[in-house]
Amino acid sequence: MSKQITVKTYNTDILIIGGGTAGCYAALTIREKSDASVIIAEKANIKRSGCLAAGVNAINAYIVKGRTPRDYVDYATKDAAGIVRDDLLITMSEGLNRVTKKLEDLGLVILKDENGEYVARGNRNIKINGENIKPILADVVEALKNVTVLNRVAVTEYLVKDNQIYGALGIDIEENILYVIHAKKVICATGGAAGLYRPNNPGFSRHKMWYPPFNTGAGYAMGILSGAEMTTFEMRFIALRCKDTIAPTGTIAQGVGAKQVNSLGEVYDDKYGNTTSERVYGTVRENLEGRGPCYLRTEGGTPEQDRELLRAYLNMAPSQTLKWVESGKNPSEQNVEIEGTEPYIVGGHTASGYWVDTNRQTTIKGLYAAGDVAGGCPQKYVTGALVEGEIAANAAVEAMKEERQEESYQNDFDEVFVRNKKAEIELILNREDTIFTTEQLEEAMQKVMDTYAGGISSHYQYNEKQLDLADEKIEQIIELSKQLRADDMHELLFVYELRERLVVCQSVIAHLRARKETRWHSFAENLDYPESREEWLQYVNSKREGNTLNIIYRDLVKRGETYEHSN
């Protein structure tokens, strides 16, 4: 008996795609500033979805006493070797403390000293008890009037005509339902892209990674295929993590001041530089030159520091605490081995993502981007994502007030578009035979990217010939993916996630090829052009037209300047 799809239609003022950090805060802001109706489409459940699902133990972007928003902009600019949007960074930085106070008012516990001041961790961080940070946001959103949360619904395509967005299509991942959601404005908050490259751990443990494996680049892919301009995909992010557990290293480095050391006990932090990419690069070089393994030096710490680290990781990355317990040694008795992860595309740490204006509107009219999916503004972390959700929400509300509102959301092109989508889904669900499984093609994709596009096995290095081979092989996998089948809607989700990743892979390869320099060691280690060059102090952007991805070079938006879309 053939499987049939039911079509359900929703109408709303504002559709938010992704109920994570930025998405939840956008919904809260919209309802505080207007009576607009909101739908949040979340492919998991907003109670524990996105990067905050397991909680965090620090707010990593905060303007501590004695510092200013401009200080934070300068830090992020230096860390990205100048490839940032100053206008986006300053508007984000100016809101960091405001949204932090809002989170505290909502119930987040922020640690304070005997004088009632927030406990700082370094120059930009404050300590929190943040295991429940996502449930706090979710509970607030679920209590809002005129906000509908569609959990277990994965949005797969935008409804775009003449560069204007009218909503999106999504699939229910439990029932045979295709959702057609018409909206006057859309905010994309789907996070970045994990799973493009072969990860540190194989097989069953392959999803033990730095970034949520469920963040597949869906927002990027939908934007790319709809003709949105994207920026800086060549600035990949590689996290320096505790080996095997892939637990954060910042808690050790900043929390107890641990230095990076090689197997000889030599400190190498200052040898290569101290930006995020340089810390990874230093670890790679020390290993290649025979001085590995590399560690964070925790030996000789105090019992109080031991307790602090065990407690902190139990709250955020329990596997690291369990590793210490199982070994029978506290952190003060053994250094922590470190390694780099596979590369990710994530606009919350680097500048990759949608090319947006200061209101976080993309080059598609009516489509906004916030959080990890928005480009140009690195080092956002949690609070920066909240600020961008707020900015996008305010802009969408204001734009609706200024425009003449139509009661009807239906458009002539919808009928054909939806009919074709329904047929595509039913074909995948009813296809009997396929040569490869989705998982096999995903592994093939990751092997290609790892081998030819600067993954772990090649020490994050690549050249143009390798990138050409990567492009060719990814195109072959895309063709094979058209013949995949799915037994149910959950398996269908995996098919679409693979396709999303493949689209993002093509853009990553094109951007790596287009920047003919090495501006960030490890993040983009181009063996054909191993030095950084002044003439490449510019943005590498891209826009897809049909099947062609065109590269666009743009001048930097510098301090005091503001970029706005001209189309």
Side-chain angles (χ1 to χ4, degrees):
M1 187 175 182
S2 66
K3 302 180 181 78
Q4 300 296 313
I5 292 294
T6 301
V7 177
K8 283 190 176 181
T9 302
Y10 284 88
N11 294 331
T12 189
D13 290 327
I14 300 176
L15 167 64
I16 299 173
I17 305 173
T21 312
C24 281
Y25 207 80
L28 175 60
T29 302
I30 290 165
R31 290 303 300 166
E32 286 180 342
K33 300 295 177 66
S34 75
D35 293 323
S37 59
V38 177
I39 287 178
I40 300 176
E42 165 57 57
K43 76 175 178 183
N45 186 298
I46 67 166
K47 185 72 76 175
R48 289 282 186 183
S49 65
C51 298
L52 287 181
V56 287
N57 70 349
I59 294 294
N60 289 327
Y62 185 81
I63 312 302
V64 300
K65 275 197 168 184
R67 302 281 177 168
T68 67
R70 175 50 62 181
D71 292 332
Y72 195 87
V73 173
D74 292 343
Y75 148 71
T77 302
K78 180 183 178 183
D79 200 74
I83 308 299
V84 300
R85 284 272 301 279
D86 191 90
D87 55 343
L88 301 182
L89 273 171
I90 193 65
T91 52
M92 180 270 288
S93 301
E94 288 171 345
L96 293 175
N97 290 19
R98 180 179 65 251
V99 298
T100 301
K101 180 62 170 66
K102 179 79 168 183
L103 276 180
E104 186 177 30
D105 292 342
L106 293 175
L108 178 67
V109 175
I110 302 179
L111 303 190
K112 297 180 180 179
D113 61 21
E114 61 275 10
N115 299 316
E117 301 289 344
Y118 293 156
V119 177
R121 192 187 79 171
N123 295 325
R124 295 168 291 273
N125 305 1
I126 56 174
K127 295 182 179 182
I128 65 173
N129 287 338
E131 186 279 333
N132 66 338
I133 186 170
K134 188 61 204 298
I136 288 173
L137 278 171
D139 288 346
V140 171
V141 168
E142 289 178 325
L144 295 172
K145 293 181 179 179
N146 216 9
V147 172
T148 302
V149 178
L150 300 178
N151 288 315
R152 312 290 283 172
V153 172
V155 173
T156 59
E157 285 181 69
Y158 293 144
L159 293 172
V160 174
K161 185 179 182 183
D162 299 329
N163 202 45
Q164 174 78 45
I165 196 161
Y166 294 97
L169 301 182
I171 58 169
D172 192 302
I173 64 175
E174 294 179 339
E175 302 180 52
N176 291 7
I177 300 172
L178 170 64
Y179 291 92
V180 182
I181 308 173
H182 295 118
K184 297 168 185 173
K185 303 294 174 188
V186 176
I187 299 174
C188 180
T190 53
L196 307 181
Y197 287 79
R198 187 156 54 187
N200 296 88
N201 298 311
F204 179 78
S205 298
R206 68 188 184 278
H207 286 153
K208 182 179 280 295
M209 53 176 59
W210 168 75
Y211 198 61
F214 321 104
N215 285 14
T216 60
Y220 296 144
M222 290 188 293
I224 291 165
L225 294 174
S226 297
E229 187 171 336
M230 297 287 173
T231 189
T232 322
F233 272 43
E234 75 279 11
M235 193 194 295
R236 309 173 301 170
F237 183 75
I238 299 159
L240 189 65
R241 307 303 265 184
C242 302
K243 192 175 186 305
D244 299 327
T245 63
I246 316 299
T249 53
T251 300
I252 302 174
Q254 295 181 11
V256 300
K259 294 288 188 181
Q260 290 176 216
V261 297
N262 60 26
S263 60
L264 304 177
E266 300 166 337
V267 176
Y268 64 88
D269 295 51
D270 300 330
K271 184 176 177 181
Y272 300 94
N274 206 34
T275 67
T276 307
S277 63
E278 288 166 344
R279 288 196 296 272
V280 175
Y281 177 66
T283 303
V284 171
R285 294 309 309 171
E286 290 296 304
N287 278 287
L288 282 175
E289 293 173 13
R291 293 184 293 276
C294 294
Y295 304 88
L296 282 172
R297 189 168 61 195
T298 55
E299 287 182 358
T302 66
E304 183 182 349
Q305 288 176 328
D306 280 342
R307 286 192 295 272
E308 184 179 338
L309 288 175
L310 289 167
R311 184 171 60 247
Y313 280 97
L314 191 61
N315 195 31
M316 181 176 57
S319 57
Q320 184 60 34
T321 296
L322 292 174
K323 188 175 182 180
W324 278 317
V325 171
E326 287 170 355
S327 71
K329 292 182 179 180
N330 283 320
S332 62
E333 300 172 276
Q334 58 180 337
N335 291 332
V336 176
E337 189 175 350
I338 53 178
E339 65 180 345
T341 64
E342 75 277 20
Y344 306 92
I345 305 301
V346 50
H349 285 68
T350 66
S352 50
Y354 280 91
W355 181 251
V356 295
D357 63 16
T358 50
N359 288 324
R360 273 52 177 189
Q361 184 172 213
T362 72
T363 54
I364 295 175
K365 295 173 184 175
L367 173 64
Y368 300 80
D372 285 356
V373 81
C377 184
Q379 312 295 344
K380 287 194 261 279
Y381 304 112
V382 174
T383 42
L386 296 174
V387 174
E388 288 203 325
E390 178 185 64
I391 292 172
N394 283 330
V397 168
E398 286 304 309
M400 284 177 55
K401 289 178 182 177
E402 294 170 6
E403 297 168 4
R404 186 169 70 86
Q405 299 304 310
E406 300 285 348
E407 285 302 314
S408 173
Y409 301 81
Q410 188 66 40
N411 294 278
D412 294 338
F413 77 99
D414 275 6
E415 247 182 78
V416 175
F417 198 78
V418 172
R419 188 164 61 244
N420 291 341
K421 188 66 177 180
K422 180 175 180 289
E424 175 188 289
I425 293 171
E426 290 175 345
L427 177 64
I428 297 170
L429 290 173
N430 291 298
R431 183 176 283 136
E432 293 185 2
D433 298 310
T434 184
I435 300 174
F436 299 103
T437 66
T438 306
E439 185 172 338
Q440 287 170 337
L441 291 187
E442 181 180 302
E443 289 181 358
M445 171 196 69
Q446 291 175 345
K447 182 177 180 181
V448 167
M449 296 298 288
D450 179 67
T451 305
Y452 299 109
I456 295 170
S457 69
S458 58
H459 313 293
Y460 311 118
Q461 302 171 129
Y462 56 87
N463 60 36
E464 288 195 11
K465 180 60 178 175
Q466 289 172 321
L467 293 176
D468 289 343
L469 285 168
D471 213 6
E472 178 185 323
K473 293 175 185 295
I474 290 297
E475 185 59 46
Q476 291 170 351
I477 297 171
I478 288 173
E479 287 303 310
L480 291 172
S481 72
K482 295 175 182 177
Q483 300 302 315
L484 289 172
R485 65 180 297 277
D487 283 332
D488 53 35
M489 297 299 281
H490 196 214
E491 287 189 7
L492 178 69
L493 171 68
F494 299 150
V495 173
Y496 280 121
E497 287 180 334
L498 171 64
R499 292 181 178 180
E500 290 158 2
R501 286 181 166 120
L502 287 165
V503 169
V504 177
C505 283
Q506 287 183 309
S507 287
V508 172
I509 293 166
H511 277 250
L512 290 173
R513 187 192 291 117
R515 182 172 287 280
K516 299 186 186 303
E517 66 163 353
T518 294
R519 180 155 293 272
W520 315 279
H521 283 299
S522 292
F523 284 16
E525 192 80 36
N526 191 328
L527 294 176
D528 290 329
Y529 305 95
E531 304 297 329
S532 176
R533 295 191 291 170
E534 188 68 23
E535 61 263 34
W536 283 99
L537 201 57
Q538 60 181 328
Y539 306 116
V540 176
N541 289 7
S542 61
K543 182 178 180 181
R544 183 161 168 159
E545 296 179 16
N547 291 322
T548 303
L549 192 69
N550 297 316
I551 295 296
I552 303 164
Y553 297 102
R554 288 186 178 271
D555 293 334
L556 292 186
V557 179
K558 299 177 182 177
R559 182 170 180 170
E561 298 176 348
T562 300
Y563 166 85
E564 300 297 343
H565 299 313
S566 57
N567 59 334

